[in-house]
Amino acid sequence: MTTKEQRIIQEEFKNRMNEDELLNCMRCGFCLPSCPTYVESGFKETHSPRGRIALMKAVADGLIEPDADVERSLDLCLGCRACEPVCPSGVKYGHLLEEARDIINQNKKHSLSAKTVRNLVFNELFPHQKRMRAATGLLGFYQRSGLQSFARKTGMLKWLPENLVTMEKVLPEVPTMKEMKNRPSYFSASGVPKKKAAFFTGCLMDTMFLETNNATLRLLQLAGCEILIPEDQACCGALHGHSGEKQSAKELAKRNIEAFENLDVDYIITNAGGCGAFLIDYGHLLQDDPQWADRARDFSAKLKDISEVLYELDFHKNVKLELPSQVITYQDSCHLRNAMKTANAPRTLLKAISGIEFTEMKDADRCCGSAGIYNIVESEMSMQILDHKMVHAKSANAAAIVTANPGCLLQMKLGIEREELSGKVNAVHIADLLLEAAGEK
């Protein structure tokens, strides 16, 4: 980063960072034990929420330069927001982190390769669902054509980083293009309609995890929901917002608000904690835009996770839920718990399943290390966090680890593979498990 770039970034920190929020941090340290990177780095202060806020404040005040060490500290943060519920001052750390990352990424010069990759991911792929389907379709072709078997047998995959080789083993079976394209946009309730809902399908959830989306829709029908699926909805923008592409995130937010705002529905439902946490923050994201601020708040006010809706509609009391005798445990999605404040509903639903024994995993609320694409770009720290998570997962002696976010699901499958527990332990999305328990899968 050049001196000129540093000066521009420093000025932007001064102008754009919320000084009241920065000063709101009392440096009390309640956030420290909740922060995975602080613990895993050997209690390094600059890798804690308190330390990162101090760095942001120092840059904004002109006391330090926004150098490589500052950028590294911010990049290493998972963005799990576990610090927020324990903060006595209620500091919105996630908002500060996103603003700081955006300032740095928009005002520094990226290498040609980094610029190309960022443009491909943030501008050419995720905002376009048809392209997402096409990209996922290529993965499906790889899985079904024999290429996957050939690559594994010949050892071609050994050229990839170890965690990506393991990730290749745990990817779900991708649906066909026909399956991805032919899903209806309206579903009637089973029996007497109780509520009317709109479903946020997501990018990866509606391609790679289409089966889980279909399970979610069926659960909502059984709960008495009439469901609408707006065809012009877009990516939630979380990946953009967390990666310093705030303007692109705002544009995606506006597309989603337009897609949902004229629907006469009681809920806007998501089944991915990472998406939900960003969607519910649209009011903050667009707070400075007078044409969109109120519309964004109205959108977010209707947003709920699938587990909250099922719980509110007494799904677990009205539908018989039963599985073969087994022990199950639950791994919280950080964003579902810390941003959407949903932790009790999924546990209540799981405990209502006849035949299962629910065991609470120690530190179930601690991040698994997935964090979007963190397990790819920060593999070493991610695997370190995952290895500690698997110690507690194994102690639960569960046959199934249940979670509520696609990233968490893949990360837990990755942990199971790394610990050589395949065939003994399974990771499953709560929607898929509940539908199986309802006897429809």
Side-chain angles (χ1 to χ4, degrees):
M1 195 183 300
T2 66
T3 302
K4 181 179 178 181
E5 288 170 342
Q6 288 183 339
R7 284 202 304 268
I8 294 172
I9 289 170
Q10 198 161 48
E11 189 64 26
E12 286 290 285
F13 264 67
K14 181 179 179 181
N15 294 333
R16 286 176 51 184
M17 295 301 293
N18 187 327
E19 186 174 7
D20 289 339
E21 200 69 71
L22 290 172
L23 290 171
N24 206 17
C25 176
M26 302 186 301
R27 313 288 191 265
C28 65
F30 277 103
C31 61
L32 300 182
S34 71
C35 177
T37 55
Y38 174 72
V39 173
E40 297 296 340
S41 67
F43 310 108
K44 191 173 182 179
E45 181 70 17
T46 53
H47 293 337
S48 72
R50 179 177 71 178
R52 291 182 177 111
I53 290 174
L55 290 176
M56 295 177 203
K57 182 71 167 65
V59 171
D61 290 344
L63 299 177
I64 62 172
E65 302 291 336
D67 58 15
D69 289 337
V70 172
E71 187 177 4
R72 179 63 187 146
S73 174
L74 299 178
D75 284 346
L76 198 63
C77 179
L78 291 144
C80 68
R81 297 171 67 172
C83 51
E84 293 186 13
V86 299
C87 177
S89 298
V91 175
K92 300 296 184 183
Y93 171 80
H95 296 165
L96 293 172
L97 178 67
E98 287 174 7
E99 193 71 22
R101 283 177 170 173
D102 185 62
I103 292 171
I104 291 173
N105 277 287
Q106 295 306 316
N107 292 286
K108 78 168 190 175
K109 185 177 181 180
H110 293 281
S111 67
L112 180 60
S113 59
K115 190 183 297 184
T116 301
V117 170
R118 290 179 72 88
N119 181 63
L120 176 65
V121 172
F122 297 126
N123 300 326
E124 302 300 329
L125 183 58
F126 275 86
H128 307 282
Q129 193 61 6
K130 288 183 180 179
R131 296 177 191 175
M132 287 292 294
R133 288 190 193 123
T136 310
L138 289 175
L139 177 58
F141 176 77
Y142 166 76
Q143 292 176 331
R144 290 186 288 268
S145 66
L147 282 174
Q148 184 178 57
S149 177
F150 177 77
R152 291 177 177 179
K153 288 179 180 178
T154 59
M156 289 174 59
L157 298 174
K158 69 181 181 181
W159 301 106
L160 294 174
E162 182 182 351
N163 69 312
L164 292 185
V165 174
T166 310
M167 184 71 77
E168 189 269 350
K169 295 179 182 178
V170 302
L171 290 174
E173 185 175 332
V174 174
T176 64
M177 289 293 290
K178 183 178 180 180
E179 290 172 323
M180 286 189 277
K181 288 180 178 179
N182 291 349
R183 200 257 324 282
S185 59
Y186 171 80
F187 293 82
S188 59
S190 295
V192 179
K194 297 178 182 178
K195 296 287 183 179
K196 196 172 184 179
F199 181 50
F200 182 82
T201 56
C203 304
L204 289 177
M205 288 305 299
D206 216 36
T207 50
M208 191 179 296
F209 295 93
L210 181 65
E211 184 179 350
T212 300
N213 266 6
N214 291 339
T216 300
L217 292 166
R218 183 58 186 149
L219 289 171
L220 290 170
Q221 286 182 292
L222 293 173
C225 285
E226 181 184 2
I227 312 151
L228 303 175
I229 304 179
E231 295 183 2
D232 49 353
Q233 61 181 288
C235 168
C236 68
L239 184 62
H240 300 74
H242 300 330
S243 303
E245 298 286 343
K246 193 172 182 180
Q247 186 56 43
S248 295
K250 288 181 177 181
E251 294 307 315
L252 290 168
K254 292 173 184 178
R255 285 174 57 185
N256 283 320
I257 292 167
E258 285 184 325
F260 283 87
E261 66 182 346
N262 292 323
L263 301 178
D264 181 22
V265 295
D266 301 292
Y267 309 117
I268 298 172
I269 296 173
T270 177
N271 60 2
C275 294
F278 202 74
L279 293 166
I280 209 167
D281 246 359
Y282 275 3
H284 170 77
L285 183 68
L286 297 171
Q287 64 180 344
D288 296 326
D289 191 326
Q291 294 183 347
W292 289 92
D294 289 340
R295 296 163 71 182
R297 283 189 285 269
D298 290 342
F299 173 93
S300 296
K302 289 186 176 182
L303 192 79
K304 284 187 179 292
D305 181 71
I306 173 65
S307 62
E308 284 285 4
V309 173
L310 295 179
Y311 176 78
E312 286 182 16
L313 296 180
D314 288 331
F315 172 83
H316 54 302
K317 297 178 181 178
N318 298 326
V319 177
K320 183 180 179 182
L321 301 174
E322 187 173 9
L323 287 173
S325 179
Q326 60 186 293
V327 176
I328 67 172
T329 192
Y330 181 72
Q331 163 63 24
D332 285 284
S333 157
C334 295
H335 288 101
L336 182 60
R337 184 183 184 104
N338 300 326
M340 296 188 73
K341 313 301 182 187
T342 296
N344 179 62
R347 287 172 167 82
T348 301
L349 293 169
L350 293 174
K351 290 175 182 178
I353 301 173
S354 177
I356 69 101
E357 177 185 341
F358 181 85
T359 299
E360 188 69 43
M361 184 195 305
K362 183 181 178 183
D363 292 339
D365 58 346
R366 181 65 64 88
C367 184
C368 64
S370 172
I373 58 172
Y374 187 94
N375 56 2
I376 297 174
V377 299
E378 297 289 351
S379 175
E380 183 178 353
M381 178 60 78
S382 175
M383 294 303 103
Q384 195 173 326
I385 292 169
L386 176 60
D387 288 343
H388 280 175
K389 172 63 64 176
M390 291 309 298
V391 170
H392 300 317
K394 288 191 291 185
S395 296
N397 293 316
I401 302 171
V402 186
T403 189
N405 186 60
C408 301
L409 180 62
L410 286 180
Q411 186 81 339
M412 297 314 299
K413 286 180 177 290
L414 193 62
I416 290 169
E417 188 71 26
R418 284 167 63 87
E419 295 293 331
E420 299 182 347
L421 295 173
S422 298
K424 301 176 184 177
V425 182
N426 184 35
V428 60
H429 191 285
I430 188 170
D432 293 307
L433 189 76
L434 287 173
L435 192 63
E436 181 184 355
E440 297 216 3
K441 197 171 183 180

